[in-house]
Amino acid sequence: MATSLAGKTAIVTGAGSGINLAFARLLLQKQCNVVFADLALRPEAKEVVDAHSSLSRCPARAVFQETNVRDWSQLERMFHTASKEFGGADIVCPGVGVYEPPFSSFWHPPGSPASKDPPSSSRYASIDINLTHPIRTTQLAIAHFLSRRCSSSSAFSSSTSQQPTSSDHIIHISSIAAQVSPLLAPLYNASKHGVSGFVRTLAPLDNPSHGIRVTAVAPGVIDTPLWRDNPEKLRLVDESTDEWVTAEEVAEVMGSLVDGREEVEVFSTTAGRADGREGTRRVKVEGGLILEVSKSRVRKVEQFNDEGPKGAGNTVSKMDIVNEEIMQMLSSGNWEQGK
């Protein structure tokens, strides 16, 4: 059974738009305070923050903290803001991500005209945003949770073994790209493989002593600005046949991973059911759990022998277009190799 999120606080990076905005909005609806950590707010996000600027207007508050997730000092500042405004954070979502943008793409190497990755920096912005930022934010979240736990331990008698009830959650956004890896986005694919592996690695933290639950969602093709505002990506979608997954559908699943419920219902193929039929089954919500979110379907991503993403909301019909363009570029010898 789910527990109430009322009175809790979440930090959500990338809450200025897309999936993270939908998640932040859902948390606020459940009376959970939210720190919107992003470079800027889209108009729809600013409207949400403004509407939740004071408890006199809403049962939960939202505050905006301008955050460049590539700057570790700014990641630390998110937690300072949560502590100052709300007494600390209970839920952390390092959700911001980019989908192989030209400014930091494998196919536009550092030093090439489209790239903004200076060769002298010895790093890719895409990897910093999609992988390094979730890892560093998780380190900070664990330290934050443990520090709050120690601070509150004085409320418990030294003569009793009673432990504070834990409700600390870190929820990541992986992708079906962690399994299905299009040629278009090598850096994005690599980072999402990394996120999924990282989440599974931290599964043991979900124990009575530490009580930190690290989970993830793996969305399919989501109708967000990441696609809509990028003509180069949007041209790969056939709107007449391909189906979008909404940001709200993903947010609902994310909510089910942080609200304390013991189980969630997921789609199951014949391989996952004792009776050999397709349908649904219930799986335990625990550290390391990764849930794929496609159109009207949620599926547990198994660590071994997983069947992979399939069905509506998991494919784009015109991916072969960009594959052919990449092959022609390489064959012509005109690849912008940079410096």
Side-chain angles (χ1 to χ4, degrees), residues 150-173:
C150 290
S151 298
S152 63
S153 63
S154 59
F156 293 85
S157 170
S158 59
S159 62
T160 178
S161 61
Q162 183 181 14
Q163 296 276 352
T165 301
S166 172
S167 57
D168 296 329
H169 296 269
I170 305 170
I171 181 163
H172 291 264
I173 300 181

Side-chain angles (χ1 to χ4, degrees), residues 12 14-16 34-42 45-46 49-50 52-53 61-68 77 81 85-86:
V12 183
V34 181
V35 176
F36 282 60
D38 210 334
L39 285 172
L41 298 175
R42 289 174 67 94
K46 186 177 187 304
V49 172
D50 289 345
H52 293 81
S53 60
R61 285 201 302 127
V63 297
F64 170 58
Q65 175 64 61
E66 183 178 348
T67 305
N68 178 351
R77 193 167 62 190
T81 298
E85 296 286 343
F86 307 112

Side-chain angles (χ1 to χ4, degrees), residues 17-299:
S17 65
I19 293 172
N20 299 297
L21 172 56
F23 182 48
R25 186 185 284 117
L26 175 74
L27 292 171
L28 288 165
Q29 291 170 352
K30 295 181 179 293
Q31 302 180 26
C32 175
N33 304 309
V34 181
V35 176
F36 282 60
D38 210 334
L39 285 172
L41 298 175
R42 289 174 67 94
E44 58 269 29
K46 186 177 187 304
E47 182 178 339
V48 173
V49 172
D50 289 345
H52 293 81
S53 60
S54 69
L55 288 176
S56 63
R57 302 173 62 183
C58 297
R61 285 201 302 127
V63 297
F64 170 58
Q65 175 64 61
E66 183 178 348
T67 305
N68 178 351
V69 298
R70 298 181 65 196
D71 184 337
W72 288 10
S73 67
Q74 294 190 37
L75 296 180
E76 292 179 17
R77 193 167 62 190
M78 302 184 308
F79 290 89
H80 296 322
T81 298
S83 296
K84 177 183 176 181
E85 296 286 343
F86 307 112
D90 310 282
I91 300 165
V92 176
C93 174
V96 69
V98 292
Y99 185 54
E100 206 82 9
F103 69 78
S104 184
S105 167
F106 182 83
W107 301 114
H108 297 286
S112 63
S115 176
K116 294 184 180 180
D117 289 329
S120 60
S121 72
S122 301
R123 60 195 316 116
Y124 296 103
S126 287
I127 298 297
D128 284 347
I129 296 168
N130 291 343
L131 183 59
T132 306
H133 134 254
I135 291 174
R136 180 57 181 152
T137 301
T138 299
Q139 286 182 317
L140 294 170
I142 292 171
H144 178 78
F145 295 151
L146 295 178
S147 176
R148 292 184 74 199
R149 192 102 27 100
C150 290
S151 298
S152 63
S153 63
S154 59
F156 293 85
S157 170
S158 59
S159 62
T160 178
S161 61
Q162 183 181 14
Q163 296 276 352
T165 301
S166 172
S167 57
D168 296 329
H169 296 269
I170 305 170
I171 181 163
H172 291 264
I173 300 181
S174 184
S175 170
I176 59 170
Q179 293 184 283
V180 179
S181 303
L183 183 63
L184 165 68
L187 297 183
Y188 182 79
N189 302 336
S191 65
K192 294 305 181 180
H193 275 77
V195 168
S196 289
F198 180 65
V199 168
R200 296 190 191 282
T201 300
L202 298 181
L205 297 182
D206 189 2
N207 64 66
S209 297
H210 300 98
I212 299 173
R213 180 169 293 170
V214 184
T215 58
V217 290
V221 184
I222 314 300
D223 190 357
T224 67
L226 185 145
W227 283 89
R228 292 289 185 184
D229 292 355
N230 192 330
E232 283 298 302
K233 306 295 190 301
L234 190 59
R235 69 191 177 112
L236 306 178
V237 179
D238 185 341
E239 301 261 11
S240 66
T241 58
D242 296 329
E243 293 192 55
W244 295 101
V245 183
T246 68
E248 290 71 25
E249 287 177 288
V250 182
E252 286 288 342
V253 177
M254 294 171 72
S256 72
L257 292 176
V258 301
D259 66 6
R261 69 184 67 189
E262 295 181 358
E263 295 181 329
V264 292
E265 188 174 82
V266 300
F267 174 80
S268 181
T269 62
T270 56
R273 285 173 56 94
D275 59 12
R277 296 182 297 175
E278 289 190 351
T280 60
R281 63 187 174 108
R282 301 194 68 81
V283 298
K284 182 180 179 181
V285 178
E286 59 186 346
L289 177 64
I290 300 174
L291 295 180
E292 174 189 302
V293 187
S294 54
K295 189 62 182 176
S296 303
R297 193 171 82 171
V298 179
R299 187 181 71 87

